[in-house]
Amino acid sequence: MKATATCDLCGAAFPETERILVGEDCLCPDCAQERTILCSHCETRIYDDDNAGHTQMPLCQNCYDRYYTSCESCGRIIHNDDAFYTDEDDDIPLCRECYHHTASSKIIHDYYYKPEPIFYGNGSRYFGVELELDIGGEISGKAAKLIERAQVMGAETLYCKHDGSLDDGFELVTHPMTLEYHQREMPWPSILQGCVELGYRSHQARTCGLHVHVNRDSLGESLEDQDATIARILYFFEKHWDELLKFSRRTQRQLERWAARYGYKEQPMEILDHAKRGYHGGRYTCVNLQNRDTIEFRIFRGTLKYNTLIATLQLVDRICDTALHLSDEEMKSLSWTTFVASCPQPELVQYLKERRLYINEPVESEVEL
């Protein structure tokens, strides 16, 4: 005779082998089907009435308390890792949509603000610029004037963000643009002149950086190809550190704090492996690799001089091209003189001459702002 069990909900007898436990309760299959559900996180069976989540994402109370929260604006349940917080209310969680709706009404956004990118120009390689401004104040009215100058045919090309590393300013951040778009369409001369007129400084402020993001998928078709290119970029930085330090207009001490080097190795991939194994510089490295979709060149000092800004983008583009097309052995044998001799862009050549980095052809330069 088969053993039977009694359902704690309906009182029916059923085969012992079919019993389903919910906590200490013994349920028959029918009651379990009608009155319980599985937690989507830990798969523990719970009563419908104890669901701390919702129908599409049921959660036991323990999982909700440990891993989830609710958006204070719309009530949506979100994982703790997906919660956003404003500078004003760092204990009030918001979902992505509500956060960006709240932030969109601001002129100077929170540091973690990241809108959906708008890509400008036609090409495979895009450059996102982060230009830090200081001294002129973190003033929304001034930021609005710069945003207005930056509009191309009424379209938003950049936005402004708070940056806690600055004394009295904010950060200009562009959407991704091709190098040609930065040079021909983006109204950089007007933007930079506006910064000066509003009392901002970048190079002279000593607190400001110029960071350039490049999309990873422009560095190779496969992830393996991209890693090989990135490894050669890191090798280029280590081999030509003294020249790049001079180009950057930063001091060695500033770079140690904000854009540290990884350390020279004999082979490009050895440097990348060192970085991936947990180099402790974090994002404060000369080439930040912690972003999923981009690599970030952080070595450069801020500037409000148009030729310097464009020359910086051109240098980054040349380094990426060189690392993409040369082999490891060719990169190892490449001299700085050979590298700069192959740079055709007039803005880059002018800046290299100003910094005494171009085949001993110095020229007089304008003052950096």
Side-chain angles (χ1 to χ4, degrees):
M1 187 174 193
K2 292 184 178 181
T4 61
T6 301
C7 178
D8 288 333
L9 291 185
C10 69
F14 62 95
E16 171 76 20
T17 55
E18 297 179 7
R19 72 173 183 166
I20 298 172
L21 294 178
V22 181
E24 297 181 355
D25 295 345
C26 173
L27 273 62
C28 67
D30 289 342
C31 286
Q33 176 70 27
E34 295 174 2
R35 303 280 297 277
T36 71
I37 197 166
L38 292 178
C39 171
S40 60
H41 190 95
C42 69
E43 298 188 348
T44 298
R45 186 170 293 276
I46 57 175
Y47 286 111
D48 290 342
D49 292 344
D50 294 331
N51 182 3
H54 51 68
T55 304
Q56 289 73 34
M57 188 175 67
L59 294 168
C60 67
Q61 191 65 50
N62 182 57
C63 285
Y64 176 84
D65 292 341
R66 292 184 64 185
Y67 304 111
Y68 292 84
T69 187
S70 297
C71 173
E72 288 287 337
S73 180
C74 69
R76 180 185 304 175
I77 294 175
I78 47 179
H79 195 281
N80 289 335
D81 292 344
D82 297 326
F84 288 78
Y85 300 87
T86 66
D87 287 343
E88 293 83 0
D89 297 302
D90 59 4
D91 60 343
I92 297 180
L94 297 171
C95 67
R96 175 182 290 272
E97 289 76 11
C98 290
Y99 172 80
H100 286 306
H101 177 74
T102 300
S104 64
S105 62
K106 298 181 180 179
I107 299 299
I108 301 177
H109 300 285
D110 300 327
Y111 177 76
Y112 293 103
Y113 176 72
K114 189 175 182 181
E116 285 297 316
I118 305 170
F119 291 85
Y120 291 93
N122 297 314
S124 60
R125 184 173 299 151
Y126 290 84
F127 300 83
V129 170
E130 298 172 356
L131 176 60
E132 295 171 348
L133 312 174
D134 215 341
I135 299 177
E138 190 174 358
I139 300 172
S140 295
K142 290 185 176 183
K145 291 179 180 179
L146 296 177
I147 291 173
E148 184 177 357
R149 284 184 179 234
Q151 290 183 343
V152 177
M153 303 294 290
E156 176 192 275
T157 60
L158 62 75
Y159 49 95
C160 302
K161 290 171 53 175
H162 167 80
D163 190 322
S165 69
L166 304 175
D167 294 330
D168 198 18
F170 54 88
E171 182 178 52
L172 297 178
V173 184
T174 73
H175 285 279
M177 303 171 183
T178 62
L179 178 59
E180 182 178 13
Y181 195 94
H182 275 289
Q183 295 176 138
R184 300 183 181 277
E185 303 295 334
M186 184 67 172
W188 277 118
S190 177
I191 297 167
L192 299 176
Q193 181 60 35
C195 292
V196 174
E197 292 174 357
L198 291 170
Y200 292 102
R201 293 296 181 266
S202 192
H203 174 94
Q204 292 182 358
R206 300 181 182 274
T207 54
C208 299
L210 168 60
H211 305 157
V212 181
H213 286 261
V214 174
N215 53 310
R216 285 176 179 261
D217 58 14
S218 71
L219 304 177
E221 294 186 3
S222 67
L223 293 178
E224 184 179 9
D225 291 339
Q226 292 168 24
D227 272 358
T229 301
I230 293 169
R232 288 190 286 271
I233 290 173
L234 298 185
Y235 184 89
F236 183 93
F237 266 71
E238 293 301 326
K239 180 177 181 181
H240 303 294
W241 183 259
D242 289 341
E243 290 87 356
L244 291 170
L245 173 62
K246 198 169 185 179
F247 189 103
S248 75
R249 291 167 288 111
R250 287 190 184 269
T251 65
Q252 181 66 47
R253 187 162 185 167
Q254 287 173 329
L255 291 183
E256 288 171 357
R257 180 179 181 186
W258 301 111
R261 62 192 302 180
Y262 287 100
Y264 180 80
K265 308 288 184 184
E266 289 295 331
Q267 300 298 330
M269 194 56 71
E270 290 179 355
I271 304 176
L272 181 59
D273 289 342
H274 171 61
K276 286 186 172 182
R277 281 199 303 267
Y279 174 77
H280 296 299
R283 67 186 179 91
Y284 296 110
T285 51
C286 53
V287 183
N288 171 26
L289 305 179
Q290 294 196 340
N291 299 300
R292 181 182 62 184
D293 299 321
T294 68
I295 63 172
E296 179 191 16
F297 295 79
R298 293 179 52 88
I299 194 173
F300 310 108
R301 189 167 177 167
T303 184
L304 298 182
K305 184 179 172 184
Y306 174 74
N307 191 86
T308 300
L309 174 64
I310 295 302
T312 300
L313 297 179
Q314 292 171 346
L315 176 77
V316 170
D317 188 51
R318 293 295 297 172
I319 293 173
C320 290
D321 268 348
T322 301
L324 178 63
H325 296 299
L326 294 189
S327 67
D328 283 6
E329 293 305 313
E330 289 170 330
M331 178 64 84
K332 289 167 66 176
S333 64
L334 179 68
S335 70
W336 178 263
T337 301
T338 301
F339 172 75
V340 297
S342 67
C343 297
Q345 301 96 329
E347 294 87 358
L348 179 54
V349 170
Q350 170 70 19
Y351 182 78
L352 289 168
K353 290 180 179 180
E354 291 175 0
R355 302 300 298 167
R356 308 299 194 263
L357 289 168
Y358 188 82
I359 319 174
N360 298 321
E361 291 189 33
V363 298
E364 293 301 319
S365 62
E366 297 177 4
V367 174
E368 292 282 356
L369 299 174

